Structure formats: structure tokens, C-alpha cells
Amino acid sequence: MKFFAKTDFNMFKKPFLMLVGLLFGLRLMAGNPTSMPVPPNEGMWLPHLIKTLNFSEMQQMGFKLSAEDIYSVNKSSLKDAVVQLGGFCTAEVVSPEGLLFTNHHCGYDAIATHSSVEHDYLTDGFWAMSKSEELPNEGLTVSFLQRIEDVTARLATVAAGASAEEAEVKIGEEIEKIEMEASEDGKYRAEVKPMFNGNEHLLFVYEVFRDIRLVGAPPSSIGKFGGDTDNWMWPRQTGDFSIMRVYADKDNNPADYSVDNVPYKPKHFLPVSIKGLKEGEFAMTMGYPGSTDRYLSSYAIDFQYKNSNPLIVKILGERLRIMKADMDADPKVRIMLASNYVSLANTYKYFLGQNRGLDRRGLIEERQAMEAEFTKWANADPTRKGKYGKVLEDFKKNYEQSAGVLNLASYMNMAGFAPGLVTYGIGYWRLGMAMAKSPDDASAWAGQIQSLKDGLDAHFKEYNLHTDQNIFARMSELMHTDLPEMYHLDAFKGKLFSKSKAKGEMSRYQAYAANVFKSSMLVDAARAKAFLDKPSKKALDADPGVEFVTSVITLYRSQLAAGQGMFEAVNAASMKTYEAGMHEMMPNKKFYPDANFTMRVSYGKMIPYDPRDGVSYKAQTFAKGILEKEVKGDEEFDVPAKLHDLFVKKDFGRYGQNGDLPLCFLTDNDITGGNSGSPVINGNGELIGIAFDGNWESMTGDLVFDPGVQRTISVDIRYVLFVIEKYAGATNLIKELTIVQ
């Protein structure tokens, strides 16, 4: 459903070896590969290069502002109204008092954190009718981009004449210097990011605000209407939005949460247009897309298709099944697990859809055809052959030699590290290492003891033992039965596992889980507290949960780390070479770098699509679609009574259109994970919607842009305002906005 929620989608997307690269997805035409254009709606473009690369095209499509209105360091511009939310989503400033619009699923963790059985904001929604009612969110930040600088030449200068190994060290040291200089003693967050797989480097400088408060959220029956069934699907009727506010100190500077802080006064905020968008009209998005892979070799895609993706679907499917059973049985567990479940379900469906898309598109064959053209071009010139002639063979060998370690990585990260016992137990494993190193010096590990004490209550507040035990049992089974013996955990060779036997309906792995959980301090707050009050290495070594955690980490360090490092090093070097070659082969092509959580601009138009033979989809949905899908009492398709009545009465106020209320719409903008909450902006620079999803047919969109079927799904801003004003009665928020009629 999302571009995406708080869980780091990219850790699933590249099971864990950072399978770097992109996929052009361009069909090389016979004869002249250098003349290939980029389709008008393809590309996640860097905002500071819009003026030279894209602006003329944008004007022709209907953009009416200047390039400097998009990105400027000398005056306020659209970039100043678009923020990175928490490093996982995008949001936009919509008022002179720092009000933010983003997606419901981007605010989901904050909403769930503030929820309880008594105050269930996930089910009932939340609306602050005054600023004093707005809720703080510890650890949540928003980052405002200040400027972008090209530092490629500076890094090339320090690396000149050095060997490859020396150059890597020198470049790393210089990047640290650049970031330190740009941070101005901590005033800003500065990051140097590689572009085109390290062929270029850009510096991004941000101002980071740390006091972000929850202002409003519709009930999940609006914000998640359609649930998993409609996730990644069209048509949609989902009001996927939430509202937050940025606070600053009295001088408008970033500050930690304080009751004395005041609403932030932005350099720029977006006016909100309720004119709507017509088919064919210009639409632009700005945001922080996380990762695309559009230069990926056929070998990488083939491995994902046959190995990584099916493994992710299999393992996540089991975790979701276990979680869902417990969530359905207990409202408290439902709230506790809701945020994690939504994120995992989204990832599960994404990879399921990606393989279906690969079947439909024949992308591996496209890549192979392109690689044949690349090989022909490289071999036609001795100099080119020397630089690029071996790169494709290097890809092939690297994947063949690393297949076992790549599969192990998927199992380790999806299954081995899945139980809460393991993620929590890592801190105890580190404590054991410190104790072993300094057995007679308690002061050497006193800080770790205190850290574990400080985090104990927070961990167990969000921990459900029954669910975790079942996940532990099933993940242990997969790790033991699916992997070859050389990759078996040491815990499976121990006495406790050996004596765990199947009995009745209890499998061997369920018996093993029961034995581990029966006595481990990692699953019981009282036991953990007793240990931390009187810690000993002997108690740690005797704990079966700590034994399991130790075996997971040992397997990672002994079998995975070295192989992973070798794979990544070869793949990174090959990708850098390959992409340099592609640029040289097609000098007339306008290239955009892979998405990497830096600000990007994409532009297109409102447009329908035909997904398959005999099926055509319109570009807009309306309120009547909710009434058509409504199923009372169903968790995915129930409709709040007040919303139902407003729709039946057609009480849409000024937000209606021809007797109905617009809900969601399609554009052919090019976005991906991290773009969740991105503003959809019309040609006048006004907010018309909030992007929240892609369509089922575009699940290969991170690998290749397919203009025929790839669509962005956005909630119409008129539905957002309708819910705020007519459903919630939060007119205090409506009054903050600059609404263009």
C-alpha cells in the first residue's frame, strides 16, 4: 500500500547484500543506441539540475512557474516546503505555522504509539482542536534541504594518481572533511551521496527539526480503507493522510521538544487548490524516493526473480500469518503489532507483484538484449574493450560464486533476525562479549548494563510473548530445514534442541521454542530485571535465548560477513564501470541517477491506463466507490457511520464535483519507496494531492519504468479537506490553509 511505512523497506528490497545497480529497462533499437530518448514522464530528477535538463519540457507540459521557483538557494522555493519525514517518508508544509501533510501510513507508527485500548486512535482517529492538544513524538524528525553541491571534482583531485585501494581511503577521508565543513559545527546535517554508482558525488545539506507533533489522523477505516486487499491496487478510495506540525524555539531554530517551543515559520508553504485536475493536465511530485535499480544486469534480475523474491514472499507470508492470528484474537495485540504488520504486509505484496511483473514484461530477456548491444559496442574499439569488455562476465561470475551466501543472507535477515527475542538479545550478546573481555572489571561494562536497564520497560511494553514464540518456532524450522547443514545454527547442535521432540500436535520446533522461552530472560521482564540487578557471565552463558542469539550472530560473522563483503566489493566496482560505459555508449541521452533518499522531482500528467486485454481504468475515483465497496463490520471495507451518512446525503460542501466527491486519482509520475506523502503539485505550484501508492502492474517499477502501465496513486486534496472539515469538524486546521478555489 505504500511508498512506504516506517519499517525500512529497502532492507527487504535488497536482501541484505545491497544488490546495487539500476535497470535501464530501455529496449535498444537496432543501429543507433545513442539516440534513445527518455520518455517524458520517466525520471527522478535532481532539483538543482531541472533548469538545464528538464525545464523546457515541463513548460510544454503545463508548468507555469520558473525553474528557480522549484529550487533556489537565494530565495524561497518549492524545495523549502518539501521535507524528509523521519528518513522514511516525505511530507509537505501547508501553512505559515509549520503544518505538515503526509500519508496515514507514514504517521501510522506515531498514531499507534499514542493509541491504547482506552484511546484507540488507529480505530477512532485523532484530531487536535487546538495546538495544546497536539502530541509529541520522541525521535521523529523532519529535514529541510538547504542546498546541493557537486563535489565530484574535489574528490577526483584527492584521488588522482592513487591506486584503487588508496583512492578509496582518500575519498572517504575527504568526504568526512566535506561533511564536517558543511555541518558548521553541528548546525546542519551534511551528507555526501554517490550518484551513478560512484561516478559522481553530491553534497546535501539539511536543517533538521526534532520537535514534531501529531495533529490529526482519520480512523483507519478511512486512512487504510481497502486494507491489504486493495493494497497496490486500482481503483482506490483510500484517505491515506495524516497531519503533523513542526515546532522550533523562539528564534525559529531546531530544538528538542519543549512546552516553550512554538510553531515553525517556514520559508515557503504550499497553497492548496480545490480546482482539481483534468486528464492530460500537468502534475509534479517532489520528495525523497528511497531506491531504484534501473541499471541492474540480467544476472542480478535473474537472481532476484528465482531466489531473493520467492524467499522473501515465503518467509514474510509465514510471519504475517502468525501475527494476524494473534492480532485478530486480542485488541491489545492488534494495536501493539499494527505498525509492523502493515509494513511487512506491504513488502510481502510488493515482491509478490514484482515477480508477476517480471513474468509479464520479459525484463531479463530485455536486459540480455541490451547487454549484447553493450558488448558489441565495447568490443568494437580496443580502448573500450580494455575498460568495459569484462564487466558483464564479472557480474555473471560474482552471482554464480555468491549464490549460497546470498540465499543465506535472505534467511538470516528474514528469519534468523525476525524474532523479538533475537533483536532484543543482541544487547545481551554485546554485554557477554564485554564481560568476557574484562571479567574482573565491572566498570568496563557498567554502561551496557545501564543501557539495557533504561530500555527494558519500553521493550516489554511493546512485546507479545505468544506471537514471538510462534514466530521463533517457525523461523527456526525454516532455518533448519531449508538451509544446507554448513549453514545450520550452532543452537541446532546443542542439547536443548536435541532433547526437543515432537509431541501430539506440537512439532519439534514448537517444542524447542517452548523450552527456550520457558526460562530465557530475553522474553520476561522480571527475569531480565533480576539479571541486570545482579549480572554475571555464568547466567548469560546458561540462558537458552542468549545461546540462540549468539548462534545467529556467530553464523553471520563466520559464514556471511566475509562472503557478503566480497560480493559487494566486486558488484560495486562492476556497477561503477558498467554505468560509466553506458554513459559513454549513449552520450546524447539525459541520464538521471538512481534514487537514494535524496530530493527528486518527477513530472507527468493525470492519465488512465489499460492494464490488460479488455480492461480499462479511469483516472479518478469518487465517493460512490466507497459505498459500492462497503461491507459493514469488515476490517478492510467498513465505513464510519458519519462518513456513510455524509456520502448518502451528498453533503460534500465546496469539495464536491458534479454531485460527487473526488477521492483518489492517477498520474504517470515516476516515484518509489520514500515518496510516501509526497505532494502532487499542479502547474501553478499548488497542492492538489498526496502520493501514497503505486499500481499492481508497476511492481517492476524500481527495475524499469513502464510508461504504459506505471501509475502513481494519490489521494485528492479535496477528499483530505472534506474529511478534516466535514467529517472531523477540525475547522481550526482549515483556517490555517491558503485555499485556492
Side-chain angles (χ1 to χ4, degrees), residues 427 431 434 441-455 532:
L431 174 62
D441 183 8
S443 64
W445 29 274
Q448 289 174 306
I449 293 288
Q450 189 58 51
S451 179
L452 289 169
K453 285 183 176 181
D454 292 343
L532 293 172

Side-chain angles (χ1 to χ4, degrees), residues 241-290:
F241 78 94
S242 63
I243 308 170
M244 299 187 181
R245 191 186 305 277
V246 185
Y247 277 76
D249 66 17
K250 59 183 178 59
D251 297 317
N252 210 40
N253 295 316
D256 292 330
Y257 169 78
S258 170
V259 294
D260 297 324
N261 287 347
V262 296
Y264 170 67
K265 297 179 177 60
K267 296 176 184 176
H268 185 79
F269 66 90
L270 298 179
V272 180
S273 172
I274 59 174
K275 296 178 182 178
L277 200 65
K278 297 177 182 177
E279 282 190 24
E281 288 188 336
F282 177 86
M284 178 175 74
T285 58
M286 294 183 71
Y288 288 85

Side-chain angles (χ1 to χ4, degrees), residues 518-738:
K518 181 170 60 178
S519 58
S520 177
M521 69 180 80
L522 301 183
V523 301
D524 184 272
R527 289 185 211 136
K529 186 177 185 303
F531 167 79
L532 293 172
D533 287 340
K534 192 176 181 180
S536 74
K537 184 68 165 57
K538 183 179 179 180
L540 269 181
D541 292 342
D543 189 282
V546 175
E547 178 192 31
F548 188 86
V549 173
T550 301
S551 69
V552 170
I553 295 172
T554 299
L555 179 61
Y556 174 84
R557 298 173 80 187
S558 64
Q559 296 286 356
L560 187 58
Q564 174 177 334
M566 290 176 62
F567 172 83
E568 290 178 353
V570 172
N571 204 55
S574 300
M575 282 306 308
K576 184 175 181 179
T577 300
Y578 185 45
E579 187 153 1
M582 299 304 287
H583 283 233
E584 187 176 332
M585 186 176 86
M586 296 188 283
N588 298 329
K589 176 180 167 62
K590 291 191 299 183
F591 285 89
Y592 57 91
D594 223 358
N596 58 359
F597 284 107
T598 56
M599 181 180 280
R600 302 298 175 90
V601 175
S602 70
Y603 53 93
K605 55 189 177 298
M606 183 175 176
I607 186 173
Y609 75 109
D610 301 329
R612 53 194 175 274
D613 183 46
V615 178
S616 295
Y617 286 139
K618 295 180 180 179
Q620 181 93 58
T621 59
F622 295 89
K624 62 182 179 182
I626 285 185
L627 298 179
E628 291 169 353
K629 288 184 175 181
E630 180 179 13
V631 180
K632 289 195 177 297
D634 185 278
E635 67 174 351
E636 294 185 325
F637 295 101
D638 196 17
V639 179
K642 184 175 181 179
L643 188 70
H644 174 96
D645 292 344
L646 288 167
F647 283 178
V648 170
K649 295 175 183 176
K650 296 185 180 296
D651 186 6
F652 305 134
R654 56 179 167 168
Y655 309 116
Q657 175 183 311
N658 300 324
D660 211 335
L661 177 68
L663 300 188
C664 299
F665 63 90
L666 295 174
T667 65
D668 55 2
N669 293 74
D670 190 1
I671 66 175
T672 189
N675 272 120
S676 277
S678 289
V680 185
I681 301 168
N682 65 16
N684 298 317
E686 300 158 348
L687 182 67
I688 55 173
I690 307 172
F692 71 89
D693 209 351
N695 57 318
W696 184 240
E697 295 78 15
S698 68
M699 293 299 93
T700 56
D702 287 342
L703 304 176
V704 56
F705 185 83
D706 192 337
V709 297
Q710 189 158 334
R711 296 293 181 267
T712 291
I713 303 174
S714 303
V715 57
D716 196 300
I717 205 64
R718 290 171 289 186
Y719 186 32
V720 173
L721 300 185
F722 166 85
V723 172
I724 296 170
E725 181 178 337
K726 302 288 288 184
Y727 175 82
T731 55
N732 55 309
L733 303 179
I734 297 294
K735 291 175 182 177
E736 278 193 48
L737 308 176
T738 298

Side-chain angles (χ1 to χ4, degrees), residues 292-352:
T292 50
D293 297 297
R294 289 183 182 168
Y295 291 111
L296 217 55
S297 71
S298 63
Y299 306 103
I301 302 168
D302 186 69
F303 189 86
Q304 287 192 8
Y305 175 72
K306 294 177 180 176
N307 295 276
S308 301
N309 290 1
L311 288 181
I312 292 171
V313 168
K314 174 183 177 179
I315 298 171
L316 286 188
E318 290 298 290
R319 289 168 62 179
L320 289 166
R321 175 184 60 80
I322 293 166
M323 294 170 70
K324 187 69 165 58
D326 285 357
M327 292 168 71
D328 288 346
D330 188 334
K332 184 178 179 180
V333 175
R334 174 181 57 80
I335 294 171
M336 183 186 299
L337 301 181
S339 182
N340 191 34
Y341 181 88
V342 167
S343 297
L344 294 179
N346 184 59
T347 305
Y348 168 85
K349 197 166 185 178
Y350 172 88
F351 284 105
L352 188 67

